[in-house]
Amino acid sequence: MTAVAAFLQTAIAQPDLPALEIAGETWTYAELAAAAWSIAQRLPLAQPGQPQPVTALMAQRTASSYVAILATQMRGHAYVPINVKQPTQRNAIILGVSGAQRVIVGDLTSDRFNSIRLAAPDVVKSVEVISCGENLADFDGKYLEQTPADLANDWKERVAYILFTSGSTGTPKGVLVPSSSLSAYLSATQSLLPVEVGSRFSQTFDLTFDLSVHDLFVSLSRKATLVVPSEEDLRQPGRFIQNKAITHWFSVPALAFQMRLQGALEAGAFQSLKSSLFCGEILPAPLALDWANAAPNSVVENWYGPTEATIACSQYRVDPAMMPEGEAVIPIGQPFPGMEMRVLAEDLSELPKGEIGELYLLGNQLAFGYLNDPERTAAAFVTLPDGSRAYKSGDRAQVGKDGALRCLGRSDGQIKLRGYRIELGEVEAALRDASGGRNALAFAWPPNDTEVRALVAAVETEDDFDLAECRRKVETVLPAYMVPTALHAVQQFPRNSSGKADRKAVLAIIAARNDMNDRSEPLGAGAERLMAAIMEAAPALDRRLVRTAPSLFDAGMDSLAFVALTMELERSFGRTIDQDDVVRLSALSFDQLVAELAPETSVRRAGRAAGLRKVWTRLRRGFLKRFDPGFNPRANRALQFIERFPTALRTGAPPVVAVGSSGVFRGFDPSEFASVAAAQGPKIRALNIGLPAIDISGLASIAEFIGEECTKAEIRLPLAIWEFDPMHVSVSPPSGDMAFDRRFFSGKLRSRSSASLPPEFDWSPESGGSWQSETVALEPARRPNWQRERDRLIARAYSGGLSFDPLRLADWRRGLFALQKVADRVVVFIHPADQTMLSEVPAKEHGAILVDTLADIAQMQGVEVLPWQGFALDPEDFTDINHVNSILGRPKLTRQMARMIWSRNRAV
Ligand code: AMP
C-alpha cells in the first residue's frame, strides 16, 4: 500500500485523531485529508500508460507544503519540493529541469515564487500555478474518495518524489524515487520503529531533504501526529522537545551538536522521547552518549542512507553500556529488511571483514535513477557480477569484527557538511562561472579529518583579484551551506604528472597560509581571545580576512557557526548575548567586536603590570583608535547620561538618583518609586542611573561626575541610592565589563542618536532613565553550562564565601564619598538574590565576607544599608539569580525598596 493510502484509511476510520500540529493549530486526519483533497481536485488523475504528471511545490515548513505533498500523492503525481530558502536562480533551474507542469504555492511562499517568476519568466510561463491556503479555516468540505488513485495497479511504476541533490557538473541532479521504494521503506520501518496512536514526531528537516519524507509519511501512515517546529523552535530545539512533548525525534547530528552547545543536553532533559534517530552524516560517539543521557527513556539509533536508496537503509542502536571500544564514531550497523549492503573492492569482488572498500547498496529501496540523465544513472546504478542491481554509494566502508558496518567517509568528490550533501564539483563550477572562467578547487576542511566542519576553496588567479565580488556572485547561485567559508587566490595551481591541478598541493598551500596567519602579528589580549573563539566556531576562516572584513559574515562565517560563536563569546567573555545582541553583533567588524567585548583588556591589564609602559602606550593608542563609542551600546547609554544629566539636573526639582550597574538598570522603576514616596509624604522625581557592563571604577567615576555637576549647579540631592553589587567588587568581576575612564567625560566621544539603537541603550531624562522592555520573557531562559557556573559563583558571593578585591572596594567607596558630599541622605542597595538558587550553595562554601563588609560600611561610612534579605520576592520575579524581570519583579522590588527607605523604620 502507498503511504498516502494508509493516511487516508486513518482519515476515514479514525477521523478525529490529530495529524498535524503547526503554527498553533491542530489538524485532525479528516481535516488534513479534506484540505489535501480540495487541492487534489485541481490536479488531473495520473493515467496508466501515460507520462506521469510532475507537480512542484514551494516548500517550507508551512501547512500548505504538507497539504500539497499529500494532494500530489492522492492523484499519483511525482512531487518536487522547491526550497524557499535557496537562491532564486537555483530554484528556477530546478523548476525548469524537473519538467513540472504545475506548481503549488502557499500564501506564505508566494513572494518567493514571484521572485522565480521574475528571474525566469520563460520557465514559469509553461507552469500552471495552484494557490493553497495555510490555515484550517481556508478549507472546508470532506474527503470523499474511498479509493485513492495510487491504489491503482500501476502505482509501483510511479515516482513518489524527485529530490535534487548537489551535482558534480554544476547542475543539481534529480533523484527519481519510486512509490514502491517509499512503500518498502515504510514496511521496513514498521518492524524497526515502534509507533502508536499519540506518538508525536519532530520535523526538523527541510522538505528538500529526503529525511523529511520519513517524518511526514511514517507519522501519517501510522496514526501519529506530525509536530512542526517554528523557526524559533528550530533555534531552541531542546525547548521544542519539552514544550511539545515530542516522542519521536529525527535530525542530523549537527542539530544535536547545536543543542549541546546551548547546554540543552542535560541529564534527563527529554523525558518524553521514546525514539531518537540520527542520520545524514557521521554520528560522533560522545554526542550520542550525551543524547542518551539527556533522553533516558529513548532508544538512540544511527541511521544511514543516501537519497538514492530512499531515506535510510541501515541502522545501529547505541547502547551506552556497550560502546565499541576506541571508536570515535558510531557504526552504521546492519541493513534494513529488504536491503543488502556489500563492501566491494575496485574489481567488484567482495572484501572480507575489516577491509576497507566501497559500499554498494542492493534491494527494494533503490531509486529509478537520475532524471533525464542516463549517463549518470548508469555510472551510479550498476549491475554486479552476480547480476544484481546495486547503487554505488561513493562511501568508503568496512565491516567491523562485530559484524556492524562502519562508514569511513566519501571516496569521491562529495562531502557532507552538517547533513547537507555537497558535490565539490558543483561548488567549483559556480566559482569558475563567478570568476570569469578561472580554475577553481573546493575542499572539505579541516584537511584529512572525517568530521567535515567547513568548505574552503581556491581560485587560480592573480593576487589582486576581487574575491569578495566573486563570493557575492556565488552566493546568488548556491545555497548558503555550499558557499565556501574561505576563498583563496592562488597564483598558479601546482600540477600533477598528468598536467591536472594537483588537489593535494593546492590544499597544502591553503593549509600553509592558515598556519602562517596563525602566527602573524600578535593581537592584544582581548582580540586574541576573540580570535580563538572565532576559530573554535569556524575553523576554516582565514584569520587575515576575519581581521579586515566589514563583518564576520563577509569573512565567510555562516549563521550556524555564528550561533556557535555567540556561545563561545558568552563563555569566554562572561556576557549574556540575547537575540537582539546576535543581530547587532553580526554586523560588527572584528575590531568593533573587540571594542564591544573587551575594550578594557589592553588598557587595564597592561596598566596594572608595572614596568610595561611601552606596551601600555601602544595598546592604549590601539584601543583609542579602534574604539567607536557609537558602536558600543552600553557605552552609549552612559555617554547619553553624561551629555544629558547636567540639563536634567537643572530642570525641575532636585532628583533622587539611583546609581549602579545592571541591578539598578533592571530593578529600579523611577515612577513607581516616586509614587510610593508620594504616598508616604515627599513628592519627588527619580532617575534610574543604572549603567550595565561598566566596571566599578567606571561607576565610581559616574558618581563623581554626578557630584561635580551638583556642586557646579549648587544643587543638593534629597537622596542618592548607591548600589553595592557583590560581583563588581569581588575578585571575580564580570569579565565583559568595560573600563569607563575619565576620557569618556571629556566631551570628545559623542553618543549615537537614539533612533539607531534599541531603547535599552538610551538614557533619557524624560523617562527618568528608565528602560521599558516589552519582550522580557517571564520564564527564565534556559541557562547554558557556563552561566550556571557563573550563577554558582554569584550565589557564593551572596552566601559570603567569595572574597572581595580591596582595590575594587576602594573604588566603590570613592563613588559613595562622591554621592555623600552632595546628597542629604545616601542608602546602599544590594540587589536581592533568588533565594531558591541560593539554597543550592553547599554549607561549606558559606562565609561571613558579605555580612562583615556591609557591617563595616554601615559603621565606618555611617551609611544606611538596605537589608537585601528583607525583600520578599518570588522565583517568578527573577530573570536570573540576581536580576528581576521588568514585568513582575521590577515594580515589586521598587515598591519594597521605596517603602524601606521612606518608612520610619530606617534600614540598618
Ligand atoms: P543524502 O543523499 O543527502 O542523504 O546523503 C547520503 C550520504 O550521507 C551518504 O552517502 C553518506 O555519505 C552520508 N551519510 C548518511 N548517513 C550517514 C551516517 N549515519 N553516517 C555517516 N555518513 C552518513
Side-chain angles (χ1 to χ4, degrees):
M1 191 194 292
T2 59
V4 77
F7 160 70
L8 291 172
Q9 270 187 355
T10 307
I12 293 164
Q14 289 164 283
D16 296 330
L17 286 184
L20 179 69
E21 268 185 38
I22 187 166
E25 272 189 337
T26 301
W27 305 48
T28 64
Y29 272 74
E31 287 164 340
L32 187 57
W37 179 235
S38 78
I39 300 296
Q41 281 172 306
R42 301 175 60 187
L43 306 175
L45 191 61
Q47 298 298 332
Q50 301 285 317
Q52 187 186 1
V54 175
T55 297
L57 46 106
M58 293 301 290
Q60 212 177 21
R61 287 180 196 75
T62 55
S64 61
S65 307
Y66 304 104
V67 168
I69 293 175
L70 291 169
T72 60
Q73 301 303 289
M74 285 162 107
R75 303 302 267 176
H77 292 212
Y79 80 84
V80 183
I82 308 275
N83 192 337
V84 295
K85 289 192 227 151
Q86 293 191 3
T88 301
Q89 216 172 319
R90 181 180 168 93
N91 281 341
I93 293 174
I94 290 176
L95 185 61
V97 171
S98 74
Q101 299 87 28
R102 291 170 194 80
V103 57
I104 304 177
V105 181
D107 293 343
L108 295 172
T109 54
S110 59
D111 281 357
R112 298 292 293 139
F113 180 68
N114 286 334
S115 328
I116 300 182
R117 198 198 291 270
L118 287 174
D122 287 351
V123 172
V124 174
K125 202 166 58 192
S126 51
V127 179
E128 181 193 342
V129 181
I130 297 171
S131 306
C132 181
E134 299 290 358
N135 303 310
L136 204 43
D138 299 336
F139 304 95
D140 54 8
K142 279 199 156 107
Y143 168 63
L144 298 169
E145 290 273 280
Q146 301 289 314
T147 341
D150 39 3
L151 285 185
N153 292 337
D154 71 333
W155 67 269
K156 289 192 174 157
E157 280 92 66
R158 292 215 209 108
V159 173
Y161 53 87
I162 308 174
L163 284 186
F164 282 81
T165 68
S166 180
S168 55
T169 55
T171 336
K173 51 185 186 199
V175 184
L176 302 164
V177 178
S179 296
S180 59
S181 296
L182 177 56
S183 181
Y185 175 82
L186 294 176
S187 14
T189 52
Q190 190 93 33
S191 60
L192 300 171
L193 183 66
V195 178
E196 51 201 18
V197 171
S199 292
R200 296 169 63 76
F201 277 58
S202 64
Q203 215 277 274
T204 66
F205 305 104
D206 278 2
L207 295 176
T208 35
F209 195 177
D210 72 334
L211 303 181
S212 67
V213 179
H214 167 103
D215 299 336
L216 182 60
F217 282 115
V218 176
S219 64
L220 294 185
S221 65
R222 296 178 69 187
K223 305 184 183 181
T225 310
L226 183 68
V227 185
V228 182
S230 65
E231 285 297 313
E232 179 54 31
D233 289 333
L234 285 175
R235 279 191 285 273
Q236 301 279 348
R239 270 195 218 163
F240 168 71
I241 296 178
Q242 289 165 337
N243 295 344
K244 300 285 178 179
I246 298 298
T247 57
H248 287 63
W249 175 259
F250 194 18
S251 80
V252 285
L255 200 58
F257 176 68
Q258 176 191 324
M259 291 161 72
R260 183 158 71 163
L261 277 175
Q262 290 171 335
L265 299 193
E266 270 176 13
F270 307 136
Q271 297 290 333
S272 61
L273 287 181
K274 294 185 175 159
S275 157
S276 307
L277 308 179
F278 295 97
C279 188
E281 60 181 343
I282 58 153
L283 176 62
L287 185 63
L289 287 179
D290 280 359
W291 188 280
N293 199 26
N297 308 317
S298 174
V299 296
V300 178
E301 293 186 1
N302 183 22
W303 286 23
Y304 158 94
T307 310
E308 287 85 342
T310 314
I311 309 170
C313 56
S314 81
Q315 165 225 30
Y316 183 90
R317 181 164 297 185
V318 177
D319 179 350
M322 293 189 43
M323 293 294 280
E325 232 173 87
E327 284 187 79
V329 170
I330 302 290
I332 59 169
Q334 307 293 343
F336 282 11
M339 289 296 287
E340 193 189 332
M341 293 159 83
R342 297 185 191 165
V343 179
L344 303 182
E346 267 181 42
D347 63 1
L348 299 182
S349 61
E350 201 148 345
L351 289 167
K353 258 190 196 171
E355 291 209 16
I356 299 174
E358 185 170 351
L359 187 59
Y360 284 72
L361 313 175
L362 299 78
N364 56 9
Q365 286 181 215
L366 294 198
F368 283 145
Y370 302 110
L371 177 68
N372 298 332
D373 199 339
E375 222 171 278
R376 278 197 283 185
T377 303
F381 294 85
V382 297
T383 307
L384 297 182
D386 66 1
S388 45
R389 182 170 183 259
Y391 172 65
K392 182 174 166 20
S393 72
D395 288 319
R396 289 166 60 247
Q398 173 190 41
V399 181
K401 283 197 208 93
D402 54 0
L405 278 157
R406 269 82 176 152
C407 181
L408 307 170
R410 302 288 308 176
S411 58
D412 53 16
Q414 206 181 81
I415 62 163
K416 269 279 178 163
L417 179 57
R418 286 183 232 115
Y420 291 111
R421 170 165 155 181
I422 301 172
E423 282 286 356
L424 294 174
E426 186 174 355
V427 179
E428 289 163 0
L431 283 169
R432 275 197 299 274
D433 272 359
S435 64
R438 290 170 172 81
N439 200 1
L441 288 175
F443 304 91
W445 194 267
N448 312 321
D449 204 326
T450 30
E451 195 179 341
V452 178
R453 299 183 60 193
L455 195 62
V456 301
V459 180
E460 186 171 30
T461 186
E462 59 284 6
D463 278 347
D464 58 357
F465 176 73
D466 191 348
L467 285 174
E469 176 58 21
C470 176
R471 161 186 293 282
R472 271 192 290 280
K473 286 190 189 154
V474 168
E475 279 167 355
T476 64
V477 293
L478 293 181
Y481 61 82
M482 286 176 77
V483 178
T485 304
L487 209 52
H488 293 258
V490 174
Q491 242 186 21
Q492 205 171 18
F493 286 175
R495 311 269 148 196
N496 60 23
S497 52
S498 57
K500 290 207 293 192
D502 185 338
R503 292 186 60 87
K504 271 197 186 144
V506 176
L507 182 58
I509 292 176
I510 298 179
R513 279 190 191 171
N514 267 29
D515 204 31
M516 222 159 64
N517 285 342
D518 272 350
R519 283 184 265 114
S520 66
E521 255 191 274
L523 299 168
E528 198 49 78
R529 212 151 25 116
L530 175 62
M531 185 60 90
I534 292 172
M535 287 298 132
E536 180 61 33
L541 288 189
D542 180 339
R543 284 171 63 114
R544 227 176 0 172
L545 212 57
V546 165
R547 295 181 58 187
T548 52
S551 78
L552 297 182
F553 283 88
D554 292 291
M557 184 171 267
D558 61 42
S559 49
L560 190 64
F562 196 78
V563 170
L565 172 65
T566 55
M567 294 178 206
E568 277 298 319
L569 295 182
E570 289 194 321
R571 220 185 341 257
S572 55
F573 289 88
R575 289 274 295 265
T576 308
I577 295 179
D578 59 22
Q579 282 302 326
D580 291 343
D581 292 333
V582 170
V583 174
R584 198 168 41 73
L585 295 181
S586 66
L588 300 190
S589 70
F590 181 79
D591 285 353
Q592 287 164 342
L593 280 168
V594 175
E596 157 99 20
L597 294 164
E600 89 296 1
T601 45
S602 39
V603 178
R604 208 174 57 198
R605 287 202 190 151
R608 284 198 175 165
L612 289 177
R613 278 266 143 232
K614 253 162 81 189
V615 180
W616 190 90
T617 319
R618 186 166 66 83
L619 292 176
R620 189 185 144 95
R621 204 180 300 130
F623 166 61
L624 279 175
K625 199 173 82 201
R626 282 203 300 257
F627 186 78
D628 173 357
F631 277 107
N632 190 328
R634 314 277 195 216
N636 203 68
R637 180 172 157 89
L639 282 172
Q640 287 195 351
F641 167 73
I642 292 166
E643 289 160 11
R644 297 171 181 179
F645 178 69
T647 319
L649 178 66
R650 290 167 174 84
T651 333
V656 168
V657 296
V659 189
S661 61
S662 49
V664 169
F665 174 66
R666 293 189 175 277
F668 184 78
D669 183 338
S671 55
E672 193 74 32
F673 190 87
S675 69
V676 176
Q680 306 270 341
K683 199 166 171 320
I684 55 138
R685 68 174 175 132
L687 294 177
N688 176 328
I689 310 172
L691 305 171
I694 291 182
D695 72 0
I696 187 59
S697 140
L699 290 173
S701 302
I702 291 278
E704 286 176 336
F705 169 72
I706 294 172
E708 283 158 21
E709 287 304 317
C710 290
T711 311
K712 267 194 238 162
E714 297 182 350
I715 291 176
R716 276 197 77 73
L717 304 174
L719 170 72
I721 298 161
W722 176 231
E723 187 186 8
F724 181 94
D725 175 352
M727 293 317 284
H728 268 70
V729 295
S730 77
V731 288
S732 187
S735 59
D737 282 0
M738 64 184 124
F740 199 80
D741 63 28
R742 297 301 296 185
R743 278 174 298 116
F744 287 87
F745 300 87
S746 67
K748 286 193 193 116
L749 299 172
R750 305 297 301 171
S751 71
R752 276 281 160 119
S753 85
S754 312
S756 62
L757 290 166
E760 67 188 282
F761 303 123
D762 278 347
W763 190 89
S764 101
E766 289 77 47
S767 60
S770 179
W771 151 72
Q772 276 313 323
S773 156
E774 289 82 43
T775 53
V776 168
L778 289 182
E779 196 187 315
R782 183 169 203 89
R783 293 169 300 152
N785 286 335
W786 68 265
Q787 200 178 354
R788 275 198 295 271
E789 267 167 41
R790 181 84 200 155
D791 286 352
R792 270 197 288 276
L793 200 64
I794 296 173
R796 238 179 75 202
Y798 276 92
S799 308
L802 184 69
S803 302
F804 294 141
D805 176 329
L807 289 177
R808 295 196 182 99
L809 270 177
D811 273 332
W812 182 85
R813 287 202 183 92
R814 181 157 64 84
L816 177 68
F817 291 146
L819 293 173
Q820 278 182 324
K821 273 193 220 149
V822 292
D824 292 335
R825 183 177 171 194
V826 178
V827 297
V828 174
F829 160 66
I830 299 117
H831 193 294
D834 184 348
Q835 293 292 341
T836 50
M837 290 174 86
L838 287 190
S839 60
E840 288 170 25
V841 181
K844 67 176 181 347
E845 289 178 16
H846 288 214
I849 296 171
L850 180 62
V851 176
D852 287 352
T853 308
L854 294 178
D856 272 1
I857 289 170
Q859 259 186 14
M860 295 177 60
Q861 266 82 43
V863 67
E864 303 163 53
V865 179
L866 298 179
W868 63 273
Q869 280 138 321
F871 288 94
L873 295 171
D874 298 310
E876 60 270 22
D877 297 323
F878 288 85
T879 47
D880 62 31
I881 180 164
N882 60 342
H883 294 106
V884 283
N885 61 52
S886 64
I887 299 170
L888 297 176
R890 189 198 302 185
K892 224 174 177 178
L893 174 68
T894 308
R895 274 197 297 276
Q896 294 182 17
M897 182 207 282
R899 285 196 202 111
M900 281 183 199
I901 291 176
W902 298 118
S903 67
R904 295 196 169 255
N905 255 344
R906 282 199 169 181
V908 190

